[in-house]
Amino acid sequence: MPRCPRLAAEIARYDLPASLVVFLVAVPLSLGIAVATGAPVAAGLVAAIVGGLVVGAAGGSRLQVSGPAAGLTVVVADLITQFGWPVTCAITALAGLLQIVLGSCRVARVALALSPAIVHGMLAGIGVTIALAQLHVVLGGAPQSDALRNVLALPGQLAHLHENAAVLGLLVIAVVLGWPRLPKRLRAVPGPLAAIALATAAAALAPMDVATVEMPGSLLAALHPPQLPDAGWGAFTVGVVTVTAIASVESLLSATAVDRLRPGHRTDLDRELVGQGAANAVSGTLGGLPITGVIVRSSTNVGAGARTRASTVLHGVWVLVFALLLAGLVERIPMAALAGLLVVVGLQLVKVTDIRRIRRHRELPVYLATALGVVVFNLLEGVLIGLAVALVVVVARVVWARVDAEQLETPPADPPHWLVVVEGTLSFLALPRLSRVLGQIPAGSVVELELVTDFLDHAAHEHLDSWITQHECGGGIVHVYEVGGMSLRDSGPRPWRRAHHPVRTAPVDAPNRGTCRH
């Protein structure tokens, strides 16, 4: 019994205020994503409500907040163009059922095997696509059918911009970007909400002739039941698999990010996938957008001090109350204001920290190929291109070997002294480069040969063995330093990791390798 009062006090102290903050962030983002996909505006609110209530109660993370996400904007827009909105709802519902099956089979961690470079590249490509499309709306026009056409049409749009729409859109962009630099007391109000509120007030007070959000009837009247397609079942199936894959990967990656934000918090990934699937099944059935875990809202939830899943559930309750009682306010929001918010959201998907981390791990080609593929072609083809480049990078690393030779400084009376470093996987594919480098070393010199190899095939072993024999027969000296799992020797202890100063092993005995041939 004492546990219940303590829990209620904890919820009132921490989770209730956090839920209000997340609610204020979620409403403008949900509306903007719905507008960007071409779905009914109410679909964004439905997804936010279901994401809060269903995932908040059934998911495997206490602190992750789910709802409509920018990462699926391009996919949903394409599905609506191809099938229409009711069929897209059916795709969402079936994708949710497939997520439940995958989570029940306990395969959630398999989704995390996808290279982060591909995931971040996919999100960056989606962000650029969203920003290019919504920039036309900011300028008072309409977006084109793809990113390249949006780029080509941009000069003409700038020449014929709608001044009122541009002013509101740029106002929102400026407020959102500048909000983090304001005093902490002002930042208690979320930047996106403040930006949309200022733009809406400016449009109402001016007054300005700008397009506003259209929301026919009440939230209940705007619900659309799902509908199966009459044809195109192959494309329909691809749509279900695509939504399942992207929603699952994005949700699980977001959940692991939340675990890093709150030390000691651990997500049950399989349960989280089941919760996400249940939410998508419900959202699709009610006519809502696909749902994923959203790192923006989740990080806001953690930063606001949430302790339990009550914060996520309560944020869904507040969105529901807003949609039922204050839906009229939505129709006053200028489209250019939401577009300005989406431009910022899209550009924020291109994260400099991600690029630096990926570059440090030498996976930048995978990131760039995926992002450009998404922008130039579409999301599915962009991901496939990223996977192909990732495989090429892996194969290149498997057969890669670094071979460097450097002449060291020695007294004039001493023979030339060289350092040769062989690193990586030394196979027959590296023999041309190995032979070229070793051929630069003059006869009679002293050579320090440092092997830092994890694989040494028979051809490479014989080539090195033969070169050492010939070099020593020509009056030179070779000292071999073996650092790693492979060795020129048949036995004997050796270090498994590279030391600051190479650990010298006994020089390879020339007579044991063969006789000099003159």
Side-chain angles (χ1 to χ4, degrees):
M1 289 298 293
R3 173 64 181 162
C4 292
R6 282 203 303 269
L7 180 61
E10 186 174 273
I11 290 174
R13 181 178 179 183
Y14 298 105
D15 294 303
L16 180 59
S19 70
L20 292 171
V21 174
V22 178
F23 155 70
L24 295 175
V25 172
V27 169
L29 290 178
S30 300
L31 295 173
I33 291 170
V35 170
T37 59
V41 174
L45 297 175
V46 170
I49 295 167
V50 174
L53 298 179
V54 177
V55 183
S61 173
R62 300 192 313 273
L63 301 178
Q64 174 158 260
V65 181
S66 301
L72 278 166
T73 300
V74 175
V75 174
V76 175
D78 288 342
L79 291 175
I80 293 174
T81 301
Q82 186 175 3
F83 294 107
W85 176 239
V87 175
T88 302
C89 292
I91 290 174
T92 301
L94 290 176
L97 295 178
L98 185 54
Q99 284 181 297
I100 294 175
V101 172
L102 293 175
S104 301
C105 294
R106 306 189 70 81
V107 297
R109 291 192 178 276
V110 175
L112 300 179
L114 189 64
S115 169
I118 295 176
V119 176
H120 294 309
M122 175 191 74
L123 294 176
I126 291 171
V128 171
T129 303
I130 292 172
L132 289 173
Q134 295 304 309
L135 190 56
H136 285 271
V137 182
V138 169
L139 299 175
Q144 304 298 312
S145 57
D146 58 57
L148 289 180
R149 288 189 174 89
N150 281 321
V151 173
L152 296 175
L154 195 55
Q157 188 67 63
L158 288 170
H160 301 88
L161 62 85
H162 188 290
E163 293 183 357
N164 291 336
V167 167
L168 294 176
L170 294 175
L171 172 64
V172 169
I173 293 174
V175 171
V176 174
L177 293 178
W179 203 254
R181 297 176 175 84
L182 295 179
K184 187 175 181 179
R185 290 184 178 180
L186 291 177
R187 286 188 279 117
V189 178
L193 179 67
I196 296 298
L198 287 173
T200 303
L205 296 175
M208 296 182 178
D209 181 20
V210 292
T212 58
V213 174
E214 294 183 3
M215 187 172 175
S218 64
L219 177 66
L220 297 177
L223 299 181
H224 292 76
Q227 177 182 321
L228 295 175
D230 297 327
W233 287 95
F236 179 83
T237 303
V238 171
V240 172
V241 173
T242 302
V243 172
T244 302
I246 296 174
S248 300
V249 170
E250 188 170 350
S251 297
L252 296 176
L253 289 175
S254 175
T256 57
V258 171
D259 290 345
R260 290 194 296 268
L261 289 174
R262 178 63 65 83
H265 179 271
R266 180 173 295 180
T267 299
D268 182 339
L269 295 179
D270 293 306
R271 178 180 172 181
E272 180 66 17
L273 189 55
V274 171
Q276 296 287 340
N280 275 313
V282 174
S283 182
T285 302
L286 295 178
L289 287 169
I291 292 169
T292 71
V294 187
I295 190 58
V296 174
R297 300 176 202 181
S298 302
S299 60
T300 301
N301 192 39
V302 173
R307 297 290 184 88
T308 72
R309 61 180 70 245
S311 173
T312 302
V313 175
L314 285 174
H315 118 274
V317 173
W318 307 142
V319 177
L320 176 61
V321 172
F322 172 84
L324 292 177
L325 303 181
L326 302 174
L329 293 177
V330 176
E331 296 181 328
R332 297 178 179 272
I333 300 175
M335 294 289 289
L338 289 177
L341 176 61
L342 286 170
V343 168
V344 177
V345 171
L347 294 179
Q348 286 176 341
L349 291 177
V350 185
K351 299 180 180 178
V352 177
T353 54
D354 291 337
I355 296 174
R356 289 174 179 168
R357 189 181 305 112
I358 289 167
R359 183 180 180 183
R360 189 165 58 247
H361 290 284
R362 296 182 296 167
E363 293 185 324
L364 191 58
V366 179
Y367 176 91
L368 294 176
T370 307
L372 289 175
V374 171
V375 172
V376 175
F377 301 105
N378 57 48
L379 190 139
L380 183 60
E381 292 181 10
V383 171
L384 292 177
I385 291 172
L387 286 171
V389 175
L391 289 175
V392 171
V393 169
V394 170
V395 172
R397 287 179 177 176
V398 169
V399 302
W400 174 87
R402 174 188 171 193
V403 185
D404 292 322
E406 176 187 2
Q407 185 173 3
L408 304 177
E409 293 184 5
T410 56
D414 291 352
H417 203 119
W418 285 75
L419 172 64
V420 178
V421 179
V422 181
E423 251 184 317
T425 300
L426 192 60
S427 68
F428 67 93
L429 295 173
L431 290 187
R433 184 165 63 256
L434 178 65
S435 178
R436 183 175 64 253
V437 173
L438 294 178
Q440 301 173 2
I441 299 174
S445 58
V446 178
V447 178
E448 307 285 340
L449 177 60
E450 185 176 300
L451 296 177
V452 193
T453 54
D454 51 19
F455 178 76
L456 185 68
D457 75 354
H458 183 69
H461 185 285
E462 283 198 349
H463 187 87
L464 278 173
D465 188 73
S466 176
W467 179 84
I468 293 172
T469 301
Q470 295 300 322
H471 188 76
E472 292 186 339
C473 287
I477 300 174
V478 179
H479 297 290
V480 179
Y481 300 90
E482 295 165 345
V483 184
M486 302 303 296
S487 173
L488 284 173
R489 300 171 301 167
D490 294 331
S491 62
R494 57 185 181 273
W496 283 92
R497 58 184 180 183
R498 193 170 189 170
H500 180 68
H501 297 290
V503 179
R504 180 170 177 173
T505 63
V508 180
D509 188 11
N512 292 336
R513 296 192 309 274
T515 58
C516 299
R517 291 184 292 273
H518 297 287

